[in-house]
């Protein structure tokens, strides 16, 4: 087989996928398609009706759907195909798709996976109790409220205090649903502290150091019980529970394919230009760093699209891979591999997320040499960027190794 159906197939029409499509189209790549399994394009912002997008890209806050419309205007020539799920990825740029008309196998010169992230639902958190209706994630809540114009319950509890948890609070309020409590397993909220003022304004108590110990109700949720490690318990009457945050990359396609992944984070390997272990496949956006803001994903998509346009013209960089690993206290770091340019030193930005609050030095070592050391204040669920980490290695001996650590733990 030699003929290609497309120059580039992009999987996912969220901000990252649209960014990549825009850059490719502007670079003159004509034969691009963006597939999305949903009936509408736009990824998460299409159902997030808060003015929490666009500050970096448009210098003003926009609601999700308006943000997507503004992004789409930047790539008028790109073909989007909805209701199309990519079900498998193979070597040599081959993918399988499922559409309402059936299954198809297609081939592209390059594939960009921009499949986003999802919140950890109840089963992933090992929450005990019965399984009545009314338990969902923020994403599902927003699809009910803003997409289907439904009010799935009347009194709801939000589990988690990440930024998205306050987005859930906002969504409940917009839908006329009473938020009765927020539950946080740690002694402080995960989002920026001022977010507590919003909860206070709405008279929503935040229960710290707490977890759900029971969910009651057979067909409908009646109440939940929460407990602390010190043995205190409390019952909260509610008919809805929203599990918010604890994002994981939606990497089912990559994980079932020939692509390799980090053995510690199970995130697919991507280099400084978002190219995976297969030089014909890039992975971008929240699929590889769950979960950053829409603007960050769009900007990254643009940069990845520019790289792919160059690869289509000049061919991929030859050369091997150097692993980037991380130590205790770091939840994930991207890129997690480096492809050094032959004969040149390489300067990269590394973004990382910590597992627990940390203030102290972050050190990056190449073999035993410290190539970066800076003090940072880090909170979980917030992206920390290590800028211009410069490496004077010009070969990619697989024995080379880059390691990131939190020096003070
Ligand atoms: C509930 C929720 C609220 C959020 N609120 C905000 C906010 O207010 N502001 C903000 O900046 N960020 C917010 N975020 C973060 C959000 O993830 C980013 O803003 C941004 O949408 C990430 O862009 P992305 O392109 O990486 O992924 P996404 O926007 O998630 O897009 C991924 C797309 O890939 C598609 N897809 C996945 N798998 C397949 C497949 N196999 N075949 C075909 N299509 C597929 C999905 O249908 C989806 O459309 C929120 C996240 C969530 C979950």
């Amino acid at each position: 087989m030699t003929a290609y159906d497309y120059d580039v197939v992009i999987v996912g029409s969220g901000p990252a996928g649209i960014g990549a499509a825009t850059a490719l189209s502007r670079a003159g790549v004509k034969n691009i398609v963006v597939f999305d399994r949903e009936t509408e394009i736009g990824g998460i912002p299409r159902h997030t009706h808060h003015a929490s997008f666009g500050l970096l890209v448009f210098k003003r806050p926009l609601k999700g759907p308006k943000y997507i419309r503004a992004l789409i205007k930047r790539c008028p020539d790109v073909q989007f195909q909805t209701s199309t799920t990519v079900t498998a990825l193979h070597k040599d740029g081959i993918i399988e798709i499922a559409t309402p008309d059936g299954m198809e196998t297609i081939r592209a010169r390059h594939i960009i996976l921009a499949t986003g992230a999802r919140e950890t639902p109840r089963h992933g958190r090992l929450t005990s109790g019965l399984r009545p209706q009314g338990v969902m994630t923020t994403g599902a809540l927003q699809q009910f409220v803003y997409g289907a114009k439904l009010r799935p319950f009347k009194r709801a509890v939000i589990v988690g205090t990440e930024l998205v948890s306050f987005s859930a609070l906002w969504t409940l309020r917009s839908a006329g649903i009473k938020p009765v409590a927020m539950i946080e397993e740690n002694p402080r909220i995960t989002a920026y502290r001022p977010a507590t003022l919003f909860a206070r304004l709405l008279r929503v108590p935040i229960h710290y150091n707490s977890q759900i110990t029971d969910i009651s109700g057979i067909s409908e949720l009646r109440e939940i019980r929460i407990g602390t490690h010190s043995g205190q318990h409390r019952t909260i009457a509610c008919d809805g529970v929203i599990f918010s945050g604890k994002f994981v990359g939606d990497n089912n396609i990559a994980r079932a394919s020939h692509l390799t992944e980090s053995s510690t984070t199970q995130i697919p390997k991507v280099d400084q230009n978002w190219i995976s272990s297969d030089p014909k496949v890039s992975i971008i956006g929240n699929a590889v760093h769950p979960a950053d803001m829409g603007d960050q994903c769009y900007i990254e998509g643009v940069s990845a699209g520019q790289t792919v346009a160059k690869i289509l013209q000049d061919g991929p960089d030859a050369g091997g891979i150097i692993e980037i690993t991380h130590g205790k206290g770091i939840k994930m770091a991207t890129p997690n591999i480096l492809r050094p340019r032959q004969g040149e030193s390489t300067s990269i930005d590394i973004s990382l997320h910590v597992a627990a609050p940390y203030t102290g030095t972050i050190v990056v070592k190449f073999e035993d040499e410290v190539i970066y050391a800076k003090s940072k204040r880090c909170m979980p669920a917030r992206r920390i960027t290590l800028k211009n980490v410069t490496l004077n290695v010009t070969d990619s001996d697989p024995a080379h190794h880059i390691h990131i650590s939190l020096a003070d733990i």
Side-chain angles (χ1 to χ4, degrees):
M1 198 193 317
T2 50
Y4 294 101
D5 300 292
Y6 295 99
D7 284 327
V8 184
V9 166
I10 300 172
V11 188
S13 68
I18 298 174
T22 304
L24 282 158
S25 166
R26 284 181 178 171
V29 181
K30 297 260 180 287
N31 195 12
I32 314 164
V33 67
V34 184
F35 290 136
D36 204 294
R37 63 187 171 197
E38 300 290 337
T39 52
E40 255 181 82
I41 57 180
I44 292 291
R46 80 188 192 285
H47 60 67
T48 305
H49 289 228
H50 313 145
S52 48
F53 298 89
L55 272 183
L56 293 178
V57 176
F58 297 106
K59 311 290 176 232
R60 64 199 163 103
L62 294 174
K63 291 185 178 179
K66 197 167 179 188
Y67 174 67
I68 291 299
R69 284 197 295 276
L71 293 184
I72 295 293
K73 274 195 189 152
R74 295 178 161 199
C75 56
D77 300 329
V78 171
Q79 177 194 347
F80 288 88
Q81 185 175 318
T82 54
S83 303
T84 302
T85 302
V86 173
T87 54
L89 165 73
H90 306 287
K91 288 181 184 163
D92 296 322
I94 294 169
I95 60 170
E96 292 174 36
I97 59 172
T99 73
D101 297 328
M103 312 283 293
E104 222 182 304
T105 299
I106 55 180
R107 190 163 183 236
R109 291 172 69 199
H110 198 96
I111 292 164
I112 301 180
L113 300 179
T115 46
R118 52 191 148 74
E119 297 158 284
T120 301
R122 173 190 181 163
H123 68 266
R125 305 186 192 225
L126 304 175
T127 306
S128 60
L130 297 174
R131 282 174 161 52
Q133 279 188 50
V135 179
M136 60 184 69
T137 59
T138 316
L141 170 74
Q142 290 182 341
Q143 300 209 37
F144 268 108
V145 169
Y146 297 123
K149 311 276 181 240
L150 291 172
R151 212 158 67 121
F153 28 65
K154 295 190 185 107
R155 293 166 56 84
V157 168
I158 298 166
V159 181
T161 59
E162 295 180 31
L163 267 181
V164 68
S165 319
F166 290 91
S167 180
L169 194 54
W170 190 273
T171 307
L172 291 178
R173 190 171 173 270
S174 318
I177 300 167
K178 187 168 173 47
V180 286
M182 295 182 82
I183 298 168
E184 170 54 55
E185 59 194 12
N186 293 307
R188 58 153 290 169
I189 65 162
T190 311
Y192 296 95
R193 264 191 228 276
T196 54
L197 295 177
F198 182 44
R200 210 177 298 158
L201 195 73
L202 299 184
R203 297 175 193 279
V204 180
I206 302 177
H207 300 285
Y208 293 98
N209 300 311
S210 299
Q211 281 185 2
I212 293 185
T213 54
D214 193 28
I215 294 181
S216 304
I218 302 282
S219 58
E220 277 179 17
L221 213 163
R222 266 199 333 269
E223 61 186 30
I224 59 162
R225 254 169 96 68
I226 61 171
T228 64
H229 287 298
S230 55
Q232 290 161 326
H233 284 277
R234 173 192 296 262
T235 301
I236 303 174
C238 58
D239 60 355
V241 173
I242 299 140
F243 285 100
S244 63
K246 286 196 191 271
F247 288 95
V248 286
D250 197 339
N251 283 313
N252 291 335
I253 307 170
R255 296 201 71 188
S257 75
H258 59 291
L259 302 184
T260 56
E261 62 185 25
S262 149
S263 57
T264 45
T265 60
Q266 278 74 53
I267 291 174
K269 288 185 179 167
V270 281
D271 72 12
Q272 69 275 24
N273 293 312
W274 312 105
I275 311 287
S276 72
S277 54
D278 176 348
K280 278 177 175 278
V281 181
S282 306
I283 316 180
I284 56 173
N286 277 344
V288 275
H289 44 71
D292 290 334
M293 304 296 283
D295 275 356
Q296 290 167 323
C297 296
Y298 176 78
I299 291 165
E300 176 181 311
V302 169
S303 146
Q306 287 163 346
T307 302
V308 173
K310 203 163 170 301
I311 291 175
L312 293 180
Q313 203 178 318
D314 306 342
D317 268 353
I321 285 169
I322 298 179
E323 298 277 337
I324 304 177
T325 58
H326 56 77
K328 213 171 137 196
I330 298 176
K331 199 170 146 209
M332 64 187 152
T334 32
N336 49 18
I337 52 174
L338 178 87
R339 284 192 173 90
R341 290 185 71 86
Q342 301 299 308
E344 289 175 27
S345 69
T346 316
S347 185
I348 58 170
D349 292 347
I350 299 177
S351 70
L352 56 86
H353 288 241
V354 292
Y358 170 77
T359 302
T361 310
I362 302 182
V363 174
V364 184
K365 280 186 178 176
F366 172 63
E367 315 293 18
D368 290 329
E369 180 200 350
V370 174
I371 54 171
Y372 178 99
K374 243 185 202 161
S375 183
K376 299 261 179 197
R377 186 162 178 271
C378 317
M379 292 297 294
R382 283 186 216 160
R383 173 182 179 138
I384 310 291
T385 304
L386 316 182
K387 287 221 160 274
N388 297 321
V389 180
T390 303
L391 202 72
N392 290 316
V393 58
T394 56
D395 67 282
S396 50
D397 181 342
H400 286 326
H401 182 231
I402 299 166
H403 188 72
I404 314 163
S405 61
L406 306 183
D408 302 327
I409 62 166

